[in-house]
Amino acid sequence: MCRGVSSYGPFWDHVLGYWKASQEGPDKVLFLRYEDMKEDPISHFKMLAKFMGFPFSVEEDRQGVIQEISKLCSFDNLKDLEVNKTHKNDFGHPNSAYFRKGEVGDWANYLTPSMAEHMNKLMKEKFSNTDLNFKFC
């Protein structure tokens, strides 16, 4: 990943491409960060619904529709879907490989301290000429 080698191409290029597109056409591309969505899912669901042209009504908000959608789209619920337990993607990788704990900063449990330091340094370098930033833990 650090060298830009992955099945889907360089991670940095994908992130920066979508970030730039969201800045140039905020009505065309909505850029969301997982960390932000985990911190405040309800406001992000509202933002997403509005972006898609289907904002929630006051009545839907009052009836708890957004909270119900939040539960249905939760990490734990999605992780437990049969398709994500038993199926594979187009590259033959099990869907379950995309689900660990769903916790912000959990990546640090899979890297040595020197690897984490290298990743942080690399991300700062790759995103240095933008106002894009990520919370690392």
Side-chain angles (χ1 to χ4, degrees):
M1 180 179 168
C2 291
R3 291 190 317 262
V5 178
S6 72
S7 300
Y8 302 102
F11 170 77
W12 323 111
D13 293 348
H14 288 292
V15 173
L16 285 173
Y18 283 108
W19 174 253
K20 289 176 183 174
S22 74
Q23 300 301 296
E24 293 167 3
D27 59 324
K28 303 274 188 224
V29 177
L30 178 64
F31 191 95
L32 301 172
R33 287 179 270 251
Y34 182 76
E35 296 84 354
D36 297 335
M37 291 173 52
K38 284 286 287 189
E39 186 176 298
D40 186 6
I42 301 302
S43 70
H44 283 83
F45 279 117
K46 289 178 180 180
M47 185 187 316
L48 179 59
K50 183 178 178 183
F51 175 80
M52 294 175 62
F54 298 97
F56 293 104
S57 68
V58 173
E59 186 60 26
E60 288 171 321
D61 196 354
R62 190 176 17 241
Q63 290 178 353
V65 170
I66 306 167
Q67 287 78 6
E68 189 60 32
I69 291 171
S70 180
K71 288 177 194 172
L72 290 170
C73 295
S74 72
F75 180 86
D76 288 335
N77 190 58
L78 294 175
K79 182 178 183 178
D80 288 339
L81 293 176
E82 189 64 27
V83 68
N84 291 326
K85 288 181 175 183
T86 60
H87 289 78
K88 295 180 179 184
N89 67 16
D90 292 340
F91 292 101
H93 302 145
N95 291 348
S96 61
Y98 295 102
F99 295 90
R100 290 192 311 251
K101 295 179 187 172
E103 297 174 6
V104 173
D106 183 52
W107 61 269
N109 295 319
Y110 296 85
L111 303 177
T112 65
S114 65
M115 291 166 75
E117 183 179 332
H118 180 68
M119 182 67 77
N120 285 338
K121 189 185 236 181
L122 187 58
M123 288 184 77
K124 286 179 185 175
E125 173 190 316
K126 295 291 185 180
F127 303 137
S128 66
N129 294 328
T130 73
D131 57 349
L132 176 60
N133 58 57
F134 290 93
K135 299 172 191 168
F136 293 109
C137 290

Short mmCIF file of all heavy atoms in Angstrom, two decimals, residues 34-83:
data_model
loop_
_atom_site.label_atom_id
_atom_site.label_comp_id
_atom_site.label_asym_id
_atom_site.label_seq_id
_atom_site.Cartn_x
_atom_site.Cartn_y
_atom_site.Cartn_z
N TYR A 34 -14.81 8.14 7.34
CA TYR A 34 -15.35 7.14 8.25
C TYR A 34 -15.32 7.64 9.70
O TYR A 34 -16.28 7.48 10.44
CB TYR A 34 -14.55 5.83 8.11
CG TYR A 34 -15.08 4.71 8.97
CD1 TYR A 34 -16.23 4.04 8.61
CD2 TYR A 34 -14.42 4.33 10.14
CE1 TYR A 34 -16.72 3.00 9.39
CE2 TYR A 34 -14.90 3.31 10.92
CZ TYR A 34 -16.06 2.65 10.55
OH TYR A 34 -16.55 1.63 11.32
N GLU A 35 -14.21 8.24 10.07
CA GLU A 35 -14.06 8.72 11.45
C GLU A 35 -15.14 9.73 11.81
O GLU A 35 -15.69 9.70 12.91
CB GLU A 35 -12.67 9.37 11.63
CG GLU A 35 -11.52 8.41 11.46
CD GLU A 35 -11.08 8.19 10.01
OE1 GLU A 35 -11.74 8.70 9.08
OE2 GLU A 35 -10.09 7.50 9.80
N ASP A 36 -15.45 10.62 10.89
CA ASP A 36 -16.49 11.63 11.12
C ASP A 36 -17.87 10.98 11.20
O ASP A 36 -18.70 11.35 12.03
CB ASP A 36 -16.49 12.68 10.01
CG ASP A 36 -15.20 13.46 9.94
OD1 ASP A 36 -14.49 13.57 10.96
OD2 ASP A 36 -14.89 13.98 8.84
N MET A 37 -18.10 10.00 10.34
CA MET A 37 -19.40 9.32 10.34
C MET A 37 -19.59 8.53 11.63
O MET A 37 -20.70 8.50 12.18
CB MET A 37 -19.51 8.40 9.13
CG MET A 37 -19.62 9.18 7.83
SD MET A 37 -19.55 8.17 6.34
CE MET A 37 -20.77 6.95 6.63
N LYS A 38 -18.54 7.91 12.12
CA LYS A 38 -18.63 7.17 13.38
C LYS A 38 -18.91 8.12 14.55
O LYS A 38 -19.63 7.78 15.47
CB LYS A 38 -17.33 6.40 13.65
CG LYS A 38 -17.14 5.15 12.84
CD LYS A 38 -18.03 4.02 13.30
CE LYS A 38 -17.55 3.43 14.61
NZ LYS A 38 -18.23 2.22 15.00
N GLU A 39 -18.32 9.29 14.49
CA GLU A 39 -18.47 10.27 15.57
C GLU A 39 -19.88 10.86 15.62
O GLU A 39 -20.42 11.09 16.70
CB GLU A 39 -17.45 11.39 15.37
CG GLU A 39 -17.40 12.40 16.50
CD GLU A 39 -16.29 13.41 16.27
OE1 GLU A 39 -15.12 13.00 16.21
OE2 GLU A 39 -16.62 14.60 16.13
N ASP A 40 -20.48 11.09 14.46
CA ASP A 40 -21.80 11.73 14.41
C ASP A 40 -22.60 11.18 13.23
O ASP A 40 -22.80 11.86 12.22
CB ASP A 40 -21.62 13.25 14.29
CG ASP A 40 -22.92 14.00 14.39
OD1 ASP A 40 -23.98 13.39 14.67
OD2 ASP A 40 -22.90 15.23 14.16
N PRO A 41 -23.08 9.94 13.34
CA PRO A 41 -23.74 9.32 12.20
C PRO A 41 -25.04 10.01 11.78
O PRO A 41 -25.32 10.12 10.58
CB PRO A 41 -24.01 7.89 12.66
CG PRO A 41 -23.90 7.91 14.14
CD PRO A 41 -22.98 9.03 14.48
N ILE A 42 -25.81 10.50 12.71
CA ILE A 42 -27.11 11.09 12.38
C ILE A 42 -26.95 12.31 11.47
O ILE A 42 -27.63 12.42 10.44
CB ILE A 42 -27.91 11.45 13.65
CG1 ILE A 42 -28.15 10.21 14.51
CG2 ILE A 42 -29.21 12.15 13.29
CD1 ILE A 42 -28.89 9.08 13.84
N SER A 43 -26.05 13.22 11.82
CA SER A 43 -25.88 14.40 10.97
C SER A 43 -25.32 14.02 9.60
O SER A 43 -25.65 14.65 8.59
CB SER A 43 -25.01 15.47 11.64
OG SER A 43 -23.68 15.05 11.71
N HIS A 44 -24.51 12.96 9.54
CA HIS A 44 -23.98 12.52 8.24
C HIS A 44 -25.05 11.84 7.39
O HIS A 44 -25.04 11.96 6.17
CB HIS A 44 -22.75 11.63 8.44
CG HIS A 44 -21.55 12.43 8.78
ND1 HIS A 44 -21.27 12.84 10.06
CD2 HIS A 44 -20.57 12.92 8.00
CE1 HIS A 44 -20.17 13.56 10.04
NE2 HIS A 44 -19.72 13.62 8.81
N PHE A 45 -26.00 11.13 8.03
CA PHE A 45 -27.13 10.58 7.28
C PHE A 45 -27.99 11.70 6.72
O PHE A 45 -28.46 11.63 5.59
CB PHE A 45 -27.98 9.65 8.14
CG PHE A 45 -27.42 8.27 8.27
CD1 PHE A 45 -27.03 7.78 9.50
CD2 PHE A 45 -27.27 7.45 7.16
CE1 PHE A 45 -26.50 6.51 9.62
CE2 PHE A 45 -26.74 6.18 7.27
CZ PHE A 45 -26.35 5.70 8.51
N LYS A 46 -28.18 12.74 7.50
CA LYS A 46 -28.95 13.89 7.02
C LYS A 46 -28.24 14.55 5.85
O LYS A 46 -28.86 14.91 4.85
CB LYS A 46 -29.16 14.90 8.15
CG LYS A 46 -30.13 14.43 9.22
CD LYS A 46 -30.25 15.47 10.32
CE LYS A 46 -31.21 15.04 11.40
NZ LYS A 46 -31.34 16.04 12.48
N MET A 47 -26.92 14.70 5.97
CA MET A 47 -26.13 15.31 4.90
C MET A 47 -26.20 14.47 3.63
O MET A 47 -26.37 15.01 2.53
CB MET A 47 -24.66 15.42 5.38
CG MET A 47 -23.74 16.14 4.43
SD MET A 47 -21.98 16.06 4.94
CE MET A 47 -22.04 16.39 6.67
N LEU A 48 -26.09 13.17 3.77
CA LEU A 48 -26.15 12.27 2.63
C LEU A 48 -27.52 12.30 1.96
O LEU A 48 -27.62 12.38 0.73
CB LEU A 48 -25.81 10.83 3.07
CG LEU A 48 -25.85 9.75 2.00
CD1 LEU A 48 -24.89 10.06 0.86
CD2 LEU A 48 -25.54 8.40 2.62
N ALA A 49 -28.58 12.28 2.76
CA ALA A 49 -29.94 12.32 2.20
C ALA A 49 -30.16 13.63 1.44
O ALA A 49 -30.72 13.62 0.34
CB ALA A 49 -30.97 12.17 3.33
N LYS A 50 -29.71 14.73 2.01
CA LYS A 50 -29.86 16.03 1.34
C LYS A 50 -29.06 16.05 0.04
O LYS A 50 -29.54 16.51 -1.00
CB LYS A 50 -29.39 17.15 2.27
CG LYS A 50 -29.58 18.53 1.70
CD LYS A 50 -29.14 19.59 2.69
CE LYS A 50 -29.29 20.97 2.07
NZ LYS A 50 -28.81 22.02 2.96
N PHE A 51 -27.82 15.53 0.08
CA PHE A 51 -26.97 15.47 -1.10
C PHE A 51 -27.65 14.69 -2.23
O PHE A 51 -27.58 15.06 -3.40
CB PHE A 51 -25.62 14.85 -0.75
CG PHE A 51 -24.72 14.64 -1.93
CD1 PHE A 51 -23.99 15.69 -2.45
CD2 PHE A 51 -24.61 13.40 -2.52
CE1 PHE A 51 -23.16 15.51 -3.56
CE2 PHE A 51 -23.77 13.20 -3.62
CZ PHE A 51 -23.05 14.26 -4.13
N MET A 52 -28.32 13.61 -1.87
CA MET A 52 -28.98 12.75 -2.85
C MET A 52 -30.30 13.33 -3.34
O MET A 52 -30.93 12.78 -4.24
CB MET A 52 -29.19 11.35 -2.26
CG MET A 52 -27.88 10.63 -2.01
SD MET A 52 -28.06 9.05 -1.17
CE MET A 52 -29.02 8.16 -2.36
N GLY A 53 -30.71 14.46 -2.75
CA GLY A 53 -31.95 15.10 -3.19
C GLY A 53 -33.18 14.59 -2.48
O GLY A 53 -34.30 14.85 -2.92
N PHE A 54 -32.99 13.84 -1.39
CA PHE A 54 -34.11 13.30 -0.63
C PHE A 54 -33.92 13.58 0.86
O PHE A 54 -33.78 12.67 1.67
CB PHE A 54 -34.23 11.79 -0.85
CG PHE A 54 -34.52 11.42 -2.27
CD1 PHE A 54 -33.49 11.05 -3.13
CD2 PHE A 54 -35.82 11.48 -2.76
CE1 PHE A 54 -33.77 10.73 -4.46
CE2 PHE A 54 -36.09 11.16 -4.08
CZ PHE A 54 -35.07 10.78 -4.93
N PRO A 55 -33.94 14.86 1.23
CA PRO A 55 -33.72 15.19 2.65
C PRO A 55 -34.85 14.61 3.52
O PRO A 55 -35.98 14.44 3.05
CB PRO A 55 -33.75 16.72 2.66
CG PRO A 55 -34.49 17.11 1.45
CD PRO A 55 -34.24 16.03 0.43
N PHE A 56 -34.52 14.32 4.74
CA PHE A 56 -35.51 13.81 5.69
C PHE A 56 -36.47 14.94 6.06
O PHE A 56 -36.06 16.08 6.22
CB PHE A 56 -34.84 13.28 6.96
CG PHE A 56 -34.02 12.05 6.72
CD1 PHE A 56 -32.63 12.12 6.68
CD2 PHE A 56 -34.63 10.82 6.55
CE1 PHE A 56 -31.87 10.99 6.46
CE2 PHE A 56 -33.87 9.68 6.33
CZ PHE A 56 -32.49 9.76 6.28
N SER A 57 -37.72 14.59 6.21
CA SER A 57 -38.71 15.58 6.64
C SER A 57 -38.63 15.72 8.17
O SER A 57 -38.06 14.87 8.86
CB SER A 57 -40.12 15.13 6.24
OG SER A 57 -40.50 13.98 6.99
N VAL A 58 -39.22 16.78 8.66
CA VAL A 58 -39.28 17.00 10.11
C VAL A 58 -40.01 15.83 10.76
O VAL A 58 -39.60 15.35 11.82
CB VAL A 58 -39.98 18.35 10.42
CG1 VAL A 58 -40.21 18.51 11.91
CG2 VAL A 58 -39.18 19.51 9.86
N GLU A 59 -41.06 15.36 10.11
CA GLU A 59 -41.83 14.24 10.64
C GLU A 59 -41.00 12.95 10.69
O GLU A 59 -41.05 12.21 11.66
CB GLU A 59 -43.10 14.02 9.80
CG GLU A 59 -44.04 12.99 10.36
CD GLU A 59 -44.57 13.31 11.75
OE1 GLU A 59 -44.64 14.51 12.12
OE2 GLU A 59 -44.90 12.36 12.48
N GLU A 60 -40.24 12.68 9.64
CA GLU A 60 -39.37 11.49 9.64
C GLU A 60 -38.33 11.59 10.76
O GLU A 60 -38.06 10.60 11.44
CB GLU A 60 -38.66 11.35 8.29
CG GLU A 60 -39.58 10.92 7.17
CD GLU A 60 -38.91 10.99 5.81
OE1 GLU A 60 -38.14 11.94 5.55
OE2 GLU A 60 -39.18 10.08 4.99
N ASP A 61 -37.79 12.76 10.94
CA ASP A 61 -36.82 12.98 12.01
C ASP A 61 -37.49 12.73 13.37
O ASP A 61 -36.95 12.01 14.22
CB ASP A 61 -36.27 14.41 11.94
CG ASP A 61 -35.00 14.61 12.74
OD1 ASP A 61 -34.58 13.68 13.47
OD2 ASP A 61 -34.43 15.71 12.64
N ARG A 62 -38.67 13.28 13.55
CA ARG A 62 -39.40 13.15 14.82
C ARG A 62 -39.78 11.69 15.09
O ARG A 62 -39.78 11.24 16.23
CB ARG A 62 -40.64 14.04 14.78
CG ARG A 62 -41.34 14.18 16.11
CD ARG A 62 -42.52 15.14 16.14
NE ARG A 62 -43.06 15.51 14.85
CZ ARG A 62 -43.10 16.76 14.37
NH1 ARG A 62 -42.64 17.75 15.08
NH2 ARG A 62 -43.62 17.00 13.19
N GLN A 63 -40.09 10.93 14.04
CA GLN A 63 -40.50 9.53 14.19
C GLN A 63 -39.32 8.56 14.38
O GLN A 63 -39.52 7.37 14.55
CB GLN A 63 -41.32 9.09 12.99
CG GLN A 63 -42.68 9.73 12.91
CD GLN A 63 -43.43 9.30 11.65
OE1 GLN A 63 -42.90 8.62 10.77
NE2 GLN A 63 -44.70 9.70 11.58
N GLY A 64 -38.10 9.07 14.31
CA GLY A 64 -36.93 8.21 14.53
C GLY A 64 -36.48 7.44 13.30
O GLY A 64 -35.73 6.47 13.42
N VAL A 65 -36.91 7.86 12.12
CA VAL A 65 -36.54 7.17 10.88
C VAL A 65 -35.02 7.19 10.70
O VAL A 65 -34.42 6.17 10.32
CB VAL A 65 -37.25 7.81 9.67
CG1 VAL A 65 -36.69 7.28 8.36
CG2 VAL A 65 -38.75 7.58 9.75
N ILE A 66 -34.40 8.32 10.99
CA ILE A 66 -32.95 8.44 10.78
C ILE A 66 -32.21 7.50 11.73
O ILE A 66 -31.26 6.82 11.33
CB ILE A 66 -32.48 9.89 10.97
CG1 ILE A 66 -33.28 10.82 10.06
CG2 ILE A 66 -30.99 10.02 10.68
CD1 ILE A 66 -33.12 12.29 10.38
N GLN A 67 -32.65 7.41 12.96
CA GLN A 67 -32.02 6.50 13.93
C GLN A 67 -32.18 5.05 13.49
O GLN A 67 -31.25 4.25 13.65
CB GLN A 67 -32.62 6.70 15.34
CG GLN A 67 -32.20 7.96 16.02
CD GLN A 67 -32.93 9.20 15.51
OE1 GLN A 67 -33.87 9.14 14.70
NE2 GLN A 67 -32.49 10.38 15.97
N GLU A 68 -33.34 4.71 12.94
CA GLU A 68 -33.57 3.34 12.47
C GLU A 68 -32.65 3.01 11.29
O GLU A 68 -32.08 1.92 11.22
CB GLU A 68 -35.04 3.15 12.08
CG GLU A 68 -35.40 1.71 11.78
CD GLU A 68 -35.16 0.76 12.94
OE1 GLU A 68 -35.30 1.16 14.11
OE2 GLU A 68 -34.84 -0.42 12.66
N ILE A 69 -32.50 3.95 10.38
CA ILE A 69 -31.58 3.76 9.26
C ILE A 69 -30.15 3.61 9.78
O ILE A 69 -29.39 2.76 9.31
CB ILE A 69 -31.69 4.92 8.25
CG1 ILE A 69 -33.04 4.88 7.54
CG2 ILE A 69 -30.55 4.88 7.23
CD1 ILE A 69 -33.34 6.09 6.68
N SER A 70 -29.81 4.40 10.78
CA SER A 70 -28.48 4.31 11.38
C SER A 70 -28.22 2.91 11.95
O SER A 70 -27.13 2.36 11.78
CB SER A 70 -28.35 5.36 12.48
OG SER A 70 -27.08 5.30 13.08
N LYS A 71 -29.22 2.33 12.57
CA LYS A 71 -29.07 0.96 13.11
C LYS A 71 -28.90 -0.05 11.97
O LYS A 71 -28.05 -0.94 12.05
CB LYS A 71 -30.29 0.58 13.95
CG LYS A 71 -30.37 1.29 15.28
CD LYS A 71 -31.64 0.89 16.00
CE LYS A 71 -31.90 1.83 17.16
NZ LYS A 71 -33.22 1.58 17.77
N LEU A 72 -29.72 0.10 10.93
CA LEU A 72 -29.64 -0.83 9.80
C LEU A 72 -28.29 -0.75 9.07
O LEU A 72 -27.81 -1.74 8.53
CB LEU A 72 -30.78 -0.57 8.80
CG LEU A 72 -32.17 -0.94 9.28
CD1 LEU A 72 -33.22 -0.40 8.32
CD2 LEU A 72 -32.30 -2.45 9.42
N CYS A 73 -27.72 0.45 9.04
CA CYS A 73 -26.45 0.66 8.35
C CYS A 73 -25.24 0.58 9.28
O CYS A 73 -24.12 0.86 8.85
CB CYS A 73 -26.46 2.03 7.66
SG CYS A 73 -27.68 2.16 6.35
N SER A 74 -25.46 0.18 10.51
CA SER A 74 -24.36 0.12 11.47
C SER A 74 -23.34 -0.93 11.06
O SER A 74 -23.66 -1.90 10.37
CB SER A 74 -24.89 -0.19 12.87
OG SER A 74 -25.31 -1.55 12.95
N PHE A 75 -22.14 -0.74 11.50
CA PHE A 75 -21.06 -1.67 11.20
C PHE A 75 -21.44 -3.08 11.64
O PHE A 75 -21.29 -4.04 10.88
CB PHE A 75 -19.77 -1.21 11.90
CG PHE A 75 -18.61 -2.12 11.64
CD1 PHE A 75 -17.83 -1.96 10.52
CD2 PHE A 75 -18.33 -3.16 12.52
CE1 PHE A 75 -16.78 -2.82 10.26
CE2 PHE A 75 -17.27 -4.01 12.27
CZ PHE A 75 -16.50 -3.85 11.14
N ASP A 76 -21.94 -3.23 12.87
CA ASP A 76 -22.27 -4.56 13.38
C ASP A 76 -23.35 -5.23 12.56
O ASP A 76 -23.27 -6.42 12.27
CB ASP A 76 -22.69 -4.48 14.85
CG ASP A 76 -21.51 -4.17 15.77
OD1 ASP A 76 -20.36 -4.49 15.40
OD2 ASP A 76 -21.75 -3.60 16.85
N ASN A 77 -24.37 -4.47 12.16
CA ASN A 77 -25.44 -5.05 11.36
C ASN A 77 -24.92 -5.48 9.99
O ASN A 77 -25.21 -6.59 9.52
CB ASN A 77 -26.61 -4.07 11.20
CG ASN A 77 -27.82 -4.73 10.58
OD1 ASN A 77 -28.33 -5.72 11.11
ND2 ASN A 77 -28.25 -4.21 9.45
N LEU A 78 -24.15 -4.62 9.34
CA LEU A 78 -23.61 -4.95 8.01
C LEU A 78 -22.64 -6.12 8.09
O LEU A 78 -22.64 -7.00 7.22
CB LEU A 78 -22.94 -3.73 7.39
CG LEU A 78 -23.88 -2.57 7.06
CD1 LEU A 78 -23.07 -1.38 6.56
CD2 LEU A 78 -24.91 -2.99 6.04
N LYS A 79 -21.83 -6.16 9.12
CA LYS A 79 -20.87 -7.26 9.29
C LYS A 79 -21.58 -8.60 9.42
O LYS A 79 -21.08 -9.62 8.95
CB LYS A 79 -20.01 -6.99 10.54
CG LYS A 79 -18.96 -8.02 10.79
CD LYS A 79 -18.14 -7.65 12.01
CE LYS A 79 -17.03 -8.65 12.22
NZ LYS A 79 -16.20 -8.30 13.37
N ASP A 80 -22.76 -8.59 10.05
CA ASP A 80 -23.49 -9.84 10.29
C ASP A 80 -24.39 -10.28 9.14
O ASP A 80 -25.02 -11.34 9.23
CB ASP A 80 -24.34 -9.70 11.57
CG ASP A 80 -23.46 -9.71 12.82
OD1 ASP A 80 -22.33 -10.21 12.75
OD2 ASP A 80 -23.93 -9.19 13.87
N LEU A 81 -24.46 -9.51 8.06
CA LEU A 81 -25.26 -9.94 6.91
C LEU A 81 -24.64 -11.18 6.29
O LEU A 81 -23.42 -11.30 6.16
CB LEU A 81 -25.35 -8.82 5.87
CG LEU A 81 -26.12 -7.57 6.27
CD1 LEU A 81 -26.01 -6.52 5.16
CD2 LEU A 81 -27.57 -7.89 6.57
N GLU A 82 -25.47 -12.10 5.88
CA GLU A 82 -25.00 -13.35 5.29
C GLU A 82 -24.05 -13.12 4.12
O GLU A 82 -23.03 -13.79 3.98
CB GLU A 82 -26.20 -14.20 4.85
CG GLU A 82 -25.84 -15.60 4.43
CD GLU A 82 -25.25 -16.44 5.56
OE1 GLU A 82 -25.55 -16.17 6.73
OE2 GLU A 82 -24.46 -17.35 5.25
N VAL A 83 -24.37 -12.14 3.26
CA VAL A 83 -23.53 -11.85 2.09
C VAL A 83 -22.11 -11.46 2.52
O VAL A 83 -21.14 -11.76 1.82
CB VAL A 83 -24.17 -10.76 1.20
CG1 VAL A 83 -24.17 -9.40 1.89
CG2 VAL A 83 -23.45 -10.68 -0.14
#
